[in-house]
Amino acid sequence: MLAVRVLQLDFVNVLLPAHFLVIWSRLGPYDRRRFERFVYGSGEFTEQWAHEASVVSVDDWPLLRPRRSAFQPWKSSPINTLPDADHYLETVMAHVRREGASTANDLPPVDGPKRKAGDWHRSVPRWALEQHFGRGKLAVTHRLPNFQRVYDLPERLIDKAYRTRHVSEQDATRELLRQSARALGLGTLQDLADYYRMSPRDAAPCIRDLVDEGELSEVHVEGWRVPAYLASSARIPRLIAGASLLSPFDPVVWFRPRTERLFDFKYRIEIYVPKAKRKWGYYVLPFRLGDQLVARVDLKSDRQNRVLLVQSAHPETDASEEATVQALAQELHALADWLNLEAIKVMGRNRLCRSLTEALTAY
């Protein structure tokens, strides 16, 4: 599996928050509470806008300074409608300086636009905190059990060596691309740029620099229409073994064009697709077996009844059904145990689902 340099955060809790699954896919069962204490309490990591909202190494704090400097408030932010927005934003900062770690609930409420049906609601204080976070004036100290961010001043959370280190924008871009290449091993310009969500146009000159420095080698991959770049640190394994269910936001599959090039696997998250138009299901996970993606599995945690629901499962063309079923049954049992669910129920009725039911029963 690929190294993880950026852990994209997503708190849709149909199965479990997606970033926890990214780690499970690589380590197997682990202590989530211990993991969170390490991420937010060790001083080695921080949340930043990287590949969307993400956990990154604290080493990336100076590298992402140009992004924080260029941050612009969202056009939809109600902060833009306040009669004295700058004064209100400073009031929020003064509160955090005085009171310490804070959530939106710790700030006085402010009237904002009425919530529309179907909107994902954010209070005005929350918009303000997130704006300060985007600009680097605040950082995240930890998350509450309901996943809400708790904010504090960066000087209370991030070592001075990282906060005061100056890196030019070009050097920062080059270093982020170097890290992208080491994480991916092999990728096109678009693949490498997407890892930290930067413009391919901005990335291209730095990619050339990395080729000149010997950090990357330009290579051609059979079936790919554009050149690819191989990291000098990349090692080609003799065998890729094992199996894992992949989060929709796993670096293996988060850039869909790369996923299709590598695995001939067209992937789309259908959460926001009307039910009648969904092809595969609501929360579908790719299933990796060896070096192939062999199935799509729509999973849900029924926490009240302590059941892992397999809403549907669909095999990929040319995948071995027997091997897929046996490996998937084993993986589902391991996942259910880790999530403290007592049973697995297959809801689908296609051939793969029927075979999976039999394998789970016999496991």
mmCIF file of all heavy atoms in Angstrom, residues 75-85 111-113 124:
data_model
loop_
_atom_site.group_PDB
_atom_site.id
_atom_site.type_symbol
_atom_site.label_atom_id
_atom_site.label_comp_id
_atom_site.label_asym_id
_atom_site.label_seq_id
_atom_site.Cartn_x
_atom_site.Cartn_y
_atom_site.Cartn_z
ATOM 1 N N LYS A 75 -17.397 32.603 -0.495
ATOM 2 C CA LYS A 75 -18.379 33.585 -0.953
ATOM 3 C C LYS A 75 -19.707 33.444 -0.214
ATOM 4 O O LYS A 75 -20.431 34.418 -0.048
ATOM 5 C CB LYS A 75 -18.591 33.436 -2.466
ATOM 6 C CG LYS A 75 -17.375 33.829 -3.298
ATOM 7 C CD LYS A 75 -17.660 33.676 -4.789
ATOM 8 C CE LYS A 75 -16.433 34.074 -5.618
ATOM 9 N NZ LYS A 75 -16.694 33.916 -7.076
ATOM 10 N N SER A 76 -20.011 32.229 0.211
ATOM 11 C CA SER A 76 -21.284 31.987 0.894
ATOM 12 C C SER A 76 -21.230 32.303 2.384
ATOM 13 O O SER A 76 -22.234 32.174 3.082
ATOM 14 C CB SER A 76 -21.705 30.526 0.702
ATOM 15 O OG SER A 76 -20.706 29.650 1.209
ATOM 16 N N SER A 77 -20.062 32.709 2.877
ATOM 17 C CA SER A 77 -19.919 32.943 4.307
ATOM 18 C C SER A 77 -20.771 34.119 4.769
ATOM 19 O O SER A 77 -20.700 35.211 4.187
ATOM 20 C CB SER A 77 -18.453 33.229 4.660
ATOM 21 O OG SER A 77 -18.338 33.640 6.010
ATOM 22 N N PRO A 78 -21.553 33.943 5.838
ATOM 23 C CA PRO A 78 -22.350 35.060 6.361
ATOM 24 C C PRO A 78 -21.476 36.153 6.965
ATOM 25 O O PRO A 78 -21.968 37.262 7.201
ATOM 26 C CB PRO A 78 -23.231 34.398 7.417
ATOM 27 C CG PRO A 78 -22.490 33.173 7.833
ATOM 28 C CD PRO A 78 -21.782 32.703 6.595
ATOM 29 N N ILE A 79 -20.201 35.856 7.208
ATOM 30 C CA ILE A 79 -19.290 36.903 7.696
ATOM 31 C C ILE A 79 -19.280 38.076 6.723
ATOM 32 O O ILE A 79 -19.175 39.241 7.135
ATOM 33 C CB ILE A 79 -17.862 36.342 7.861
ATOM 34 C CG1 ILE A 79 -17.846 35.164 8.830
ATOM 35 C CG2 ILE A 79 -16.902 37.424 8.315
ATOM 36 C CD1 ILE A 79 -18.205 35.505 10.246
ATOM 37 N N ASN A 80 -19.420 37.756 5.446
ATOM 38 C CA ASN A 80 -19.381 38.803 4.422
ATOM 39 C C ASN A 80 -20.556 39.767 4.537
ATOM 40 O O ASN A 80 -20.505 40.877 4.001
ATOM 41 C CB ASN A 80 -19.378 38.176 3.019
ATOM 42 C CG ASN A 80 -18.193 37.251 2.801
ATOM 43 O OD1 ASN A 80 -17.111 37.485 3.330
ATOM 44 N ND2 ASN A 80 -18.396 36.191 2.031
ATOM 45 N N THR A 81 -21.606 39.364 5.219
ATOM 46 C CA THR A 81 -22.813 40.205 5.315
ATOM 47 C C THR A 81 -22.857 41.015 6.604
ATOM 48 O O THR A 81 -23.761 41.849 6.777
ATOM 49 C CB THR A 81 -24.079 39.334 5.239
ATOM 50 O OG1 THR A 81 -24.168 38.511 6.423
ATOM 51 C CG2 THR A 81 -24.054 38.436 4.006
ATOM 52 N N LEU A 82 -21.913 40.787 7.514
ATOM 53 C CA LEU A 82 -21.930 41.519 8.774
ATOM 54 C C LEU A 82 -21.573 42.987 8.538
ATOM 55 O O LEU A 82 -20.696 43.294 7.718
ATOM 56 C CB LEU A 82 -20.938 40.906 9.763
ATOM 57 C CG LEU A 82 -21.219 39.470 10.224
ATOM 58 C CD1 LEU A 82 -20.144 39.005 11.197
ATOM 59 C CD2 LEU A 82 -22.599 39.366 10.857
ATOM 60 N N PRO A 83 -22.206 43.892 9.254
ATOM 61 C CA PRO A 83 -21.937 45.322 9.042
ATOM 62 C C PRO A 83 -20.507 45.714 9.403
ATOM 63 O O PRO A 83 -19.958 46.649 8.825
ATOM 64 C CB PRO A 83 -22.956 46.014 9.957
ATOM 65 C CG PRO A 83 -23.372 44.968 10.943
ATOM 66 C CD PRO A 83 -23.270 43.668 10.230
ATOM 67 N N ASP A 84 -19.895 45.029 10.378
ATOM 68 C CA ASP A 84 -18.508 45.317 10.748
ATOM 69 C C ASP A 84 -17.785 43.989 10.947
ATOM 70 O O ASP A 84 -17.481 43.577 12.073
ATOM 71 C CB ASP A 84 -18.462 46.166 12.017
ATOM 72 C CG ASP A 84 -17.068 46.764 12.255
ATOM 73 O OD1 ASP A 84 -16.138 46.351 11.538
ATOM 74 O OD2 ASP A 84 -16.947 47.619 13.148
ATOM 75 N N ALA A 85 -17.525 43.330 9.826
ATOM 76 C CA ALA A 85 -16.968 41.981 9.863
ATOM 77 C C ALA A 85 -15.596 41.958 10.533
ATOM 78 O O ALA A 85 -15.300 41.058 11.333
ATOM 79 C CB ALA A 85 -16.875 41.415 8.448
ATOM 80 N N ASP A 111 -26.623 36.686 14.906
ATOM 81 C CA ASP A 111 -27.662 36.468 13.903
ATOM 82 C C ASP A 111 -27.040 36.326 12.528
ATOM 83 O O ASP A 111 -26.139 37.093 12.149
ATOM 84 C CB ASP A 111 -28.656 37.622 13.895
ATOM 85 C CG ASP A 111 -29.519 37.637 15.150
ATOM 86 O OD1 ASP A 111 -29.674 36.557 15.752
ATOM 87 O OD2 ASP A 111 -30.007 38.718 15.515
ATOM 88 N N GLY A 112 -27.503 35.356 11.780
ATOM 89 C CA GLY A 112 -27.050 35.159 10.412
ATOM 90 C C GLY A 112 -28.216 34.818 9.521
ATOM 91 O O GLY A 112 -29.375 34.843 9.962
ATOM 92 N N PRO A 113 -27.969 34.492 8.269
ATOM 93 C CA PRO A 113 -29.056 34.131 7.357
ATOM 94 C C PRO A 113 -29.788 32.892 7.845
ATOM 95 O O PRO A 113 -29.203 32.009 8.471
ATOM 96 C CB PRO A 113 -28.330 33.873 6.024
ATOM 97 C CG PRO A 113 -26.919 33.578 6.406
ATOM 98 C CD PRO A 113 -26.638 34.387 7.624
ATOM 99 N N VAL A 124 -22.617 31.517 12.576
ATOM 100 C CA VAL A 124 -21.683 32.600 12.258
ATOM 101 C C VAL A 124 -20.376 32.442 13.036
ATOM 102 O O VAL A 124 -19.288 32.602 12.458
ATOM 103 C CB VAL A 124 -22.343 33.969 12.518
ATOM 104 C CG1 VAL A 124 -21.319 35.098 12.349
ATOM 105 C CG2 VAL A 124 -23.514 34.183 11.565
#
